[in-house]
Amino acid sequence: MSHLTSVTRSELENRSDARLWALIDYLTERNGCIDDPGLQKIWLTWRYDCQVQNGGHLQYFHNMDTTDVPKTISALLEVGAEKHAEILKSCFARSGAVNRVRSLEEYSEMAAERSFTEDSDYYALKPSMFDILQAFYAKDLESWVAVEA
């Protein structure tokens, strides 16, 4: 497999996580439209974590729908994020339909009624999703992300 993207040697020297950030940028540019199962797992878990970190599980269900939740739970388990998966399972079981709203005011009203108490548990999880992905995909990152001079 040829490299998908690259970082400079100085970027990698300054940030040990530069490869993962470069890969996330690559996947974001493609909106997760990739065939490789490993990359799909990274995309699903990263997208989930970003949405929850930015606004909780309600935001995740609102913005992403629930179509990919079973695949996301599976991906979380495969990368070793069991606690993350348990929380998603719990929230998903109670999520019901989350209708798209047309304004921030409507979202605020919905959030007042439907927020998930598990969000604070999720925020406290250690290691972080980023750290889990970095460790789980350490070898793959070397083949996916080249280091240039």
Side-chain angles (χ1 to χ4, degrees), residues 17-72:
D17 59 3
R19 277 191 166 115
L20 183 54
W21 280 116
L23 183 62
I24 289 167
D25 285 344
Y26 171 86
L27 295 172
T28 301
E29 288 172 7
R30 284 145 189 84
N31 198 25
C33 294
I34 28 80
D35 293 329
D36 183 282
L39 293 173
Q40 288 176 349
K41 285 180 217 157
I42 290 173
W43 176 249
L44 290 169
T45 55
W46 177 254
R47 184 178 68 170
Y48 164 63
D49 185 65
C50 284
Q51 291 292 319
V52 173
Q53 293 291 346
N54 192 44
H57 283 84
L58 181 63
Q59 178 171 313
Y60 171 68
F61 295 132
H62 178 266
N63 289 349
M64 300 293 114
D65 195 2
T66 57
T67 308
D68 287 337
V69 170
K71 288 191 289 187
T72 302

Side-chain angles (χ1 to χ4, degrees), residues 137-149:
Y137 287 106
K139 290 288 184 202
D140 294 308
L141 286 168
E142 291 178 13
S143 64
W144 289 329
V145 183
V147 178
E148 299 176 346

